[in-house]
Amino acid sequence: MDNATRRPTAFFIGDVALDVYYTAERWPGLADKASFQETGGYVGGSIANAAAVHAGLGGSTEFVSLLNHGALTERLLEDLGNHGLKTMHMLYHPEVPDPRNMIFLVGGEHVVLYAEAGNLPMAVPAAMMVALRSPGHLYTTLSRAKRLRAASNDGGELAADEVLADLRSHGRRLVFDLDVDGFIAEEVAYLRGSEVIIMNEIGFGLSFGGQDLAAVNDWMRSNEVRTIIRTLAAAGAEIYDGAGVQTVTGYTVPVVDVTGAGDTFGGALVFALAESTDLRSAVEFAVAAASRAVTIEGPRGGVASSKQIEEFRRSQAVPLAVP
């Protein structure tokens, strides 16, 4: 039996899409125009990217989304399978539009435009609930988690927060990627009891505003959140553990494409957390994986083996100092 088979299966519930890339010298303003050049298309999507990174590292990985039965879905499923992702619990609905994103690379940054995929409920079948009611991580977003539904023991329906509470009670460890969106007070019920909440600087600011360290840690303890990670792009990341904060430094690298860097961080973090109980080491590994990812074009640039990430860490003699 190989290592991946022995590991608990991590579930990734979220988006997968066709990412079409464009490059430009500048981003136009309102009532302006600029020329763009199409450079290629890749299968991406934030949570699918994170799942591919997890599988590439050797994790046992299952991906779940809500798709239609069209030709693009067949292409997406083929790509997921080629990256080692299991999709036996994929959900389908004929009213779901084809998921497509337009990604513009401008001046070392990126702008993402996407078509709204709707908010149809994601009804979790009994067989999938059985699979989820086992130890392991569940990596998702608030927008997806809020759409979850499942049958209750009394013949009724469990709402999203009840589904998440049920899974936590069975040992499923929740990891939320809140990215730039953060959360509002009405969404705290979904986050309660989380193992990890990941946000970048924008999402962290929207969630906690000008609150100081003590207030953030008080919020964590009152909502039984074990860890909050604020990602800091090239500067690394901060780890809030309910008592204090630690800083993990980043790396100075040539930036080719930042698309998928946060996804790489999340997928690598979930893998590392399953391998070790040392939180700081797991975050250091995830920072290195994300730093390596931005040197490669495409949403799956972060897919790598543990050996490749360790080689990258050794090649970076001087970490970026955080002021």
Side-chain angles (χ1 to χ4, degrees):
M1 185 181 295
D2 61 24
N3 290 336
T5 303
R6 291 196 296 268
R7 295 185 181 109
T9 295
F11 275 76
F12 290 73
I13 299 180
D15 58 311
V16 60
L18 179 65
D19 292 345
V20 182
Y21 274 69
Y22 303 85
T23 58
E25 292 185 0
R26 67 182 185 89
W27 182 251
L30 292 176
D32 193 4
K33 62 182 179 180
S35 62
F36 294 88
Q37 180 178 357
E38 183 175 337
T39 60
Y42 306 86
V43 173
S46 177
I47 305 303
N49 293 339
V53 168
H54 183 268
L57 290 167
S60 176
T61 316
E62 175 141 5
F63 177 77
V64 180
S65 191
L66 182 62
L67 302 172
N68 60 38
H69 282 290
L72 179 56
T73 292
E74 293 181 8
R75 176 178 174 182
L76 300 178
L77 291 176
E78 180 180 9
D79 181 87
L80 294 170
N82 289 340
H83 281 87
L85 277 62
K86 294 173 281 190
T87 57
M88 70 275 287
H89 293 111
M90 189 67 72
L91 305 176
Y92 299 94
H93 195 287
E95 295 180 12
V96 176
D98 281 344
R100 299 176 185 272
N101 300 323
M102 294 183 291
I103 300 176
F104 299 86
L105 305 180
V106 186
E109 259 301 345
H110 72 314
V111 177
V112 180
L113 302 180
Y114 61 91
E116 182 56 58
N119 290 301
L120 289 169
M122 297 179 67
V124 180
M128 180 176 165
M129 281 297 289
V130 170
L132 282 167
R133 286 170 171 157
S134 60
H137 289 93
L138 166 58
Y139 185 95
T140 190
T141 65
L142 260 175
S143 61
R144 286 288 178 164
K146 289 159 70 172
R147 294 164 61 184
L148 296 175
R149 303 289 186 274
S152 62
N153 293 331
D154 61 6
E157 183 179 76
L158 296 177
D161 58 332
E162 295 172 316
V163 173
L164 296 171
D166 179 288
L167 300 183
R168 289 196 307 270
S169 72
H170 286 85
R172 183 61 59 174
R173 294 184 285 174
L174 306 186
V175 179
F176 278 95
D177 180 359
L178 304 190
D179 196 33
V180 300
D181 297 322
F183 66 89
I184 58 177
E186 291 78 6
E187 295 170 325
V188 171
Y190 305 102
L191 302 174
R192 187 165 290 117
S194 296
E195 181 82 0
V196 180
I197 297 174
I198 306 169
M199 293 177 273
N200 66 13
E201 294 175 90
I202 297 173
F204 190 91
L206 292 173
S207 301
F208 294 109
Q211 295 184 63
D212 60 14
L213 174 61
V216 174
N217 283 304
D218 284 345
W219 181 90
M220 293 176 62
R221 289 191 297 271
S222 64
N223 289 288
E224 300 178 4
V225 172
R226 181 187 175 208
T227 305
I228 290 177
I229 297 175
R230 178 166 73 154
T231 57
L232 303 172
E238 291 177 342
I239 307 168
Y240 295 78
D241 60 7
V245 61
Q246 303 177 56
T247 299
V248 173
T249 56
Y251 300 88
T252 302
V253 295
V255 176
V256 174
D257 180 8
V258 298
T259 310
D263 310 328
T264 300
F265 180 94
L269 180 69
V270 168
F271 176 81
L273 288 173
E275 297 292 296
S276 170
T277 58
D278 186 344
L279 176 61
R280 183 179 179 87
S281 293
V283 175
E284 289 174 346
F285 181 80
V287 166
S291 297
R292 177 188 172 278
V294 303
T295 67
I296 303 168
E297 181 177 321
R300 300 283 171 80
V303 176
S305 66
S306 295
K307 180 180 178 181
Q308 288 174 307
I309 293 173
E310 292 303 334
E311 288 175 349
F312 169 83
R313 294 175 75 174
R314 288 193 295 271
S315 73
Q316 303 299 307
V318 183
L320 176 69
V322 176

